[in-house]
Amino acid sequence: MNEIPGTTFLLNVVFAVSLLATVGGAIIAVLSQRIIRGVCGLALCFIGLAGVYYFLHAPFLALMQILIYVGAVCITIIFAVMLAEPDEAVSDQSSASSKVWAALALIACVALGWGVASLALGGSWTVPAQPLANDGSLRAMGIALLTTYSMAFEVISLVLLVAVLGALAVAHGGRVRS
Amino acid sequence: MNNPTFYDRPAAYLILAAALLAIGILGFVRRRTLIGMLISGEVIFAAASVNFMALNRFYSPDPVAGQVVVLFIMGLAAAEVAVGLSIIIAVYRNYRSIRSKDVSEMNG
């Protein structure tokens, strides 16, 4: 695999950058005071996640991650941020009890993450010995979508249709009422 | 799994998924506005996707299944964001606020 010396090191560096972007972006998305910075952190997190998907042998998913999440979901959230005024008030952040609750939530979430990680690492996963069913390419994925998963494919198209209609109905109804 | 490369071991991906889940739940608890909670929910979705992809890449005989599941998660997340944001806009029109403390009309 290593024709060029240092390829492994370079790949490790790229992978570490992806991991850092994912975790750092998620932390920014969750903890920043202003929501618009949170959205930018979310976009950074999703771009890093696309890199992680690339390392997981799924370049199509990396493309879709950037296209759908960064291109559609983040932009939609930015539109909602512009229509509403979501900035959190600073005043109710300062009391002592809220700091205690924040510390408790942090401890509980660290414990949760530690527990889930140790469960996942300690699980007795078995590596499949038989040859893989397909090569995981885009062509194989298209065939699987239209044969094995055709029912789920149809159902999710229905879900998206109903979601679009419901979003239009809810937003429009609010406009008529006020 | 005695591979020298960092990115070919499942541990990195599983720890990443657990960290994303913890960060997302922390945000879901701490955020006081509905949009902030929606963003944290997206982080939790990302954790689920990474977990599916990691287990599929390393432990599944069918490389396609995880990718299809993650595609479905992406579709569901897009639908969730569309409906959630329209609800948030409707709430903002009626209450002039999207802080989760103010939307408490059905609070007993």
Side-chain angles (χ1 to χ4, degrees):
Chain A
M1 175 181 164
N2 286 327
E3 292 91 0
I4 308 168
T7 309
T8 310
F9 173 72
L10 211 59
L11 282 176
N12 275 330
V13 168
V14 172
F15 182 61
V17 167
S18 306
L19 284 188
L20 273 184
T22 307
V23 175
I27 289 175
I28 294 174
V30 160
L31 291 183
S32 66
Q33 196 75 43
R34 298 181 66 97
I35 289 288
I36 192 72
R37 286 183 195 150
V39 179
C40 294
L42 192 70
L44 181 67
C45 170
F46 286 153
I47 290 173
L49 209 57
V52 172
Y53 283 156
Y54 204 89
F55 278 103
L56 282 170
H57 296 193
F60 177 67
L61 275 191
L63 191 67
M64 283 298 116
Q65 178 81 17
I66 291 181
L67 198 69
I68 294 178
Y69 277 110
V70 183
V73 169
C74 284
I75 300 300
T76 317
I77 294 177
I78 287 176
F79 269 114
V81 169
M82 287 194 291
L83 287 174
E85 294 155 7
D87 278 338
E88 309 196 346
V90 192
S91 60
D92 54 355
Q93 191 95 339
S94 56
S95 71
S97 70
S98 79
K99 271 180 185 158
V100 171
W101 281 114
L104 271 183
L106 186 65
I107 291 170
C109 288
V110 167
L112 179 83
W114 183 263
V116 171
S118 62
L119 266 183
L121 292 181
S124 59
W125 312 105
T126 51
V127 179
Q130 69 269 32
L132 299 178
N134 49 58
D135 56 350
S137 64
L138 185 54
R139 184 173 183 275
M141 207 162 91
I143 291 172
L145 264 182
L146 290 182
T147 54
T148 315
Y149 303 99
S150 58
M151 184 66 196
F153 188 69
E154 293 298 322
V155 169
I156 202 157
S157 65
L158 202 64
V159 166
L160 280 172
L161 176 69
V162 172
V164 169
L165 290 181
L168 284 176
V170 169
H172 186 66
R175 173 181 295 171
V176 167
R177 251 176 72 186
S178 66
Chain B
M1 285 282 134
N2 283 326
N3 211 317
T5 49
F6 184 39
Y7 53 86
D8 261 347
R9 278 179 285 183
Y13 302 98
L14 294 176
I15 291 175
L16 173 70
L20 281 181
L21 176 72
I23 292 171
I25 289 181
L26 176 69
F28 208 82
V29 174
R30 274 185 55 92
R31 281 291 194 197
R32 292 189 179 81
T33 63
L34 295 177
I35 289 185
M37 292 168 75
L38 199 71
I39 290 174
S40 308
E42 290 304 310
V43 176
I44 298 176
F45 268 119
S49 304
V50 171
N51 222 337
F52 267 114
M53 271 312 293
L55 291 182
N56 177 68
R57 156 82 175 81
F58 293 104
Y59 300 119
S60 163
D62 184 7
V64 148
Q67 302 190 39
V68 170
V69 168
V70 172
L71 268 188
F72 286 156
I73 290 177
M74 281 182 190
L76 282 182
E80 179 236 355
V81 164
V83 174
L85 285 180
S86 70
I87 289 175
I88 287 172
I89 298 296
V91 164
Y92 182 72
R93 284 215 182 97
N94 287 328
Y95 289 86
R96 287 288 137 197
S97 162
I98 57 165
R99 301 173 69 211
S100 51
K101 205 162 71 177
D102 296 336
V103 191
S104 58
E105 209 160 89
M106 292 175 76
N107 193 358

